[in-house]
Amino acid sequence: MSKSVPARADQPTAAGAVAEHLAQMILGELTPGSSLPSEAALATRYAVSRLTIREAVKLLEGRGLLEIARGRKAVVREPDGAAFADFLTSIIRYDPKGLFDLVEIRLSLEVQSATLAAKRANRAGIAAIESELQGMRDTAGAPGQPMSDDQELSFHTHDVGFHEAVALASGNRILGFLFEAMAQPLREGFFISRRGHEKRGHTRHDTIEAHQRILDCIKAGNGRAAAEAMRLHIKDTERDIRVALSQLAHQPVEHS
Amino acid sequence: MSKSVPARADQPTAAGAVAEHLAQMILGELTPGSSLPSEAALATRYAVSRLTIREAVKLLEGRGLLEIARGRKAVVREPDGAAFADFLTSIIRYDPKGLFDLVEIRLSLEVQSATLAAKRANRAGIAAIESELQGMRDTAGAPGQPMSDDQELSFHTHDVGFHEAVALASGNRILGFLFEAMAQPLREGFFISRRGHEKRGHTRHDTIEAHQRILDCIKAGNGRAAAEAMRLHIKDTERDIRVALSQLAHQPVEHS
DNA sequence: TGAGGTAAAGGTATCAGATATCTTGGAGGA
DNA sequence: TCCTCCAAGATATCTGATACCTTTACCTCA
């Protein structure tokens, strides 16, 4: 008698229920790379219309569990930190204090990251870190010369890349993904912190030297020293941000 | 001549494009709690069918940016760490080493968490931590007595709650959300680590005492001592997991 | 025999039109 | 004043169809 399966008030929606069931299946049994049955097949199995299946699958795509392409079945996705990126972005946008919260998180994660990298980094991992540092040098230009916007973006990208490379070299996959997710918010943060950096009389070559010290400790396999070098560097960044933001706060009321 | 707007190969799908546009709007201008226009209105604005809007909105719901309820417009959601939970779960499920990676992350985050909580926790924050610890005591039962499954679940829930309460008391919102996201994977991990805990001759009352020490340091406002107490506790948990997993490794593994 | 092109089959993307149910707010009565 | 009930607006889902993409198997030609 009932052709449709409308959602009841006390029950989640049909699409949500299907999505939850599929999510359990994906997280439980299926491995990344394997594919789901076709939409039509799933519609038959769950006794709902194909549209409901589409909505369920879209939910899971949003959660980062599936990859959907036209003409192909939905594929279980390798986990990555993309889902976390939205969250960090919204935190920073909605909350002015968010940037300091992020620096505090970095302080603990990066120190751990450097410690582990010093213990475990293999040749490829160290080469990746060196490559990013070289990229910073290449785009830094001559001392005293102002940087173009392109150069600055490239410099920050290599800076973020350096920290991401250290995280990857730590051998801890979660750390790697966390830094991947932090990359975008971090780049935004670096544009801010650089103002403070200059205001405090430092140059980008000081930044490069700080990174060089961290790399040296990692290459030497000295976890404790690497941790300390990283801690000093992050603390310095925190001061940069504080100076830059306090300037921003004073600017609007200038000459009033 | 073209009534529909089919997706081009080199372009993202219509639903994806709408979702991306809405996401930028949500992260840029809208504040949590405000609501989107109705599906019909959005369909008109973007010149697509209502179905496409529904799929776009489902994508964003999956990303945790929107909350959708029947009969009401879609509402911009307060950011939370739910999106991160999927990721952690999949890491742990797909990768046997994932649990140790998670413990390493905890080691750095929880030490930071305890340090900050000792500095910043207000009365309400400390009361919340105390409440969870009391919850552990209440469900622990008499020494030597075996726990029922319900009791054990409750005990672990309060244990996780303790750590989450410390994170919240740190005043760092990102830390709070990270622990919220870790709660579920952590509970699973605790069921594993408890075996090792007992195997090593420890009881749940030892666990309670370890937590009590952490709480005392936080109440005393001694960040350094709180950090050290937390570090010892996490290191102990790591040993528990190692012992438990080495036991599991000797048991036959089922194939699918 | 092998290489390249092509058409069919299967899959997703999207549209259109309808019905069911829920939420909310206002009209009307006790 | 307060409660009840109904209508309007919103979402949830279904059915049926068309367009386009991907894969594969087949067929042709060198």
Side-chain angles (χ1 to χ4, degrees):
Chain A
M1 42 179 107
S2 69
K3 295 187 299 182
S4 63
V5 184
R8 301 293 303 274
D10 52 342
Q11 292 288 334
T13 66
V18 170
E20 200 46 48
H21 192 258
L22 286 176
Q24 292 305 322
M25 188 176 304
I26 291 169
L27 291 173
E29 308 156 24
L30 301 179
T31 56
S34 61
S35 56
L36 257 53
S38 74
E39 294 182 353
L42 288 172
T44 304
R45 176 183 307 179
Y46 288 104
V48 296
S49 80
R50 216 186 110 222
L51 169 59
T52 301
I53 297 296
R54 282 193 63 73
E55 295 190 347
V57 162
K58 283 289 176 190
L59 270 174
L60 298 177
E61 185 186 11
R63 279 167 70 172
L65 295 177
L66 286 181
E67 223 161 30
I68 302 175
R70 181 176 213 146
R72 274 183 299 191
K73 298 179 184 176
V75 172
V76 176
R77 210 177 142 178
E78 195 86 31
D80 69 10
F84 193 53
D86 272 337
F87 159 71
L88 284 180
T89 303
S90 56
I91 283 278
I92 290 180
R93 296 264 174 90
Y94 294 152
D95 183 1
K97 189 178 145 296
L99 205 50
F100 288 109
D101 284 352
L102 183 57
V103 173
E104 280 182 357
I105 300 288
R106 281 186 63 199
L107 184 60
S108 63
L109 288 182
E110 299 239 29
V111 165
Q112 176 81 329
S113 184
T115 307
L116 295 176
K119 276 190 210 168
R120 300 180 189 155
N122 56 21
R123 200 160 303 162
I126 288 181
I129 303 173
E130 276 176 334
S131 159
E132 297 292 345
L133 183 54
Q134 189 56 45
M136 289 175 74
R137 282 213 177 82
D138 292 343
T139 52
Q145 291 274 339
M147 290 172 93
S148 71
D149 283 355
D150 279 355
Q151 272 182 310
E152 184 157 2
L153 178 60
S154 172
F155 188 77
H156 291 324
T157 300
H158 283 298
D159 192 339
V160 173
F162 179 95
H163 293 276
E164 200 175 327
V166 173
L168 289 174
S170 76
N172 185 313
R173 289 185 69 200
I174 304 180
L175 263 181
F177 289 134
L178 280 174
F179 276 90
E180 189 184 297
M182 279 197 274
Q184 177 54 29
L186 239 54
R187 257 191 302 274
E188 291 184 22
F190 279 9
F191 272 95
I192 295 175
S193 69
R194 200 170 91 86
R195 299 190 187 184
H197 198 64
E198 290 174 350
K199 186 73 188 173
R200 292 172 61 223
H202 294 158
T203 69
R204 47 189 180 273
H205 292 279
D206 295 329
T207 304
I208 290 176
E209 270 180 34
H211 285 83
Q212 180 69 57
R213 276 193 291 275
I214 296 168
L215 173 58
D216 289 342
C217 295
I218 290 175
K219 282 169 82 171
N222 189 338
R224 197 172 294 264
E228 182 59 15
M230 182 64 90
R231 196 183 67 79
L232 289 175
H233 172 51
I234 306 286
K235 276 288 181 189
D236 212 50
T237 304
E238 187 182 2
R239 280 185 216 104
D240 290 342
I241 292 177
R242 212 172 287 278
V243 168
L245 287 188
S246 72
Q247 276 226 307
L248 284 179
H250 290 321
Q251 265 176 359
V253 289
E254 196 173 22
H255 297 304
S256 61
Chain B
M1 53 198 280
S2 69
K3 296 186 300 181
S4 63
V5 184
R8 301 293 303 274
D10 52 341
Q11 293 287 333
T13 66
V18 171
E20 200 46 48
H21 192 257
L22 287 176
Q24 292 304 322
M25 188 176 303
I26 292 170
L27 290 173
E29 309 156 25
L30 301 178
T31 56
S34 60
S35 56
L36 257 52
S38 74
E39 294 182 353
L42 289 172
T44 304
R45 176 183 307 177
Y46 288 104
V48 296
S49 80
R50 218 187 109 218
L51 168 60
T52 301
I53 298 296
R54 283 192 62 73
E55 294 190 347
V57 162
K58 283 290 176 189
L59 269 173
L60 298 177
E61 185 186 12
R63 278 167 70 171
L65 295 176
L66 287 180
E67 221 161 30
I68 303 174
R70 179 175 215 148
R72 275 183 298 190
K73 298 178 184 176
V75 172
V76 176
R77 208 175 144 178
E78 195 86 31
D80 69 9
F84 194 52
D86 273 335
F87 159 70
L88 286 179
T89 303
S90 55
I91 283 278
I92 290 179
R93 296 266 173 90
Y94 295 152
D95 184 359
K97 190 178 146 294
L99 205 51
F100 289 108
D101 284 352
L102 182 58
V103 174
E104 280 181 357
I105 300 288
R106 281 185 62 198
L107 184 60
S108 64
L109 288 182
E110 299 240 30
V111 166
Q112 177 81 327
S113 184
T115 306
L116 296 176
K119 277 189 208 166
R120 300 179 189 156
N122 56 21
R123 200 161 302 163
I126 288 181
I129 303 174
E130 276 176 334
S131 159
E132 296 291 345
L133 183 55
Q134 189 57 45
M136 289 175 74
R137 282 214 177 79
D138 291 344
T139 52
Q145 290 275 341
M147 291 172 94
S148 71
D149 283 356
D150 278 356
Q151 272 182 310
E152 184 157 1
L153 178 60
S154 171
F155 188 78
H156 291 323
T157 300
H158 283 298
D159 191 339
V160 173
F162 179 95
H163 293 276
E164 200 175 326
V166 173
L168 288 174
S170 76
N172 185 312
R173 289 185 71 201
I174 304 181
L175 262 182
F177 289 134
L178 280 174
F179 275 89
E180 190 183 297
M182 279 197 273
Q184 177 55 26
L186 239 55
R187 258 192 301 276
E188 292 185 21
F190 280 10
F191 271 94
I192 294 174
S193 69
R194 199 170 91 86
R195 298 191 187 185
H197 198 63
E198 290 175 349
K199 187 74 187 171
R200 293 173 60 223
H202 295 156
T203 69
R204 49 191 178 271
H205 292 279
D206 295 329
T207 304
I208 291 175
E209 271 181 35
H211 285 83
Q212 180 70 58
R213 277 192 292 274
I214 296 167
L215 173 58
D216 288 342
C217 296
I218 291 175
K219 283 168 81 171
N222 188 338
R224 197 173 293 264
E228 182 59 14
M230 182 64 90
R231 197 183 68 78
L232 289 175
H233 172 51
I234 307 286
K235 276 288 181 189
D236 212 49
T237 304
E238 187 182 2
R239 280 186 217 105
D240 289 343
I241 293 176
R242 212 172 287 279
V243 168
L245 286 190
S246 71
Q247 279 225 305
L248 284 179
H250 293 316
Q251 288 175 0
V253 183
E254 56 179 291
H255 299 283
S256 54

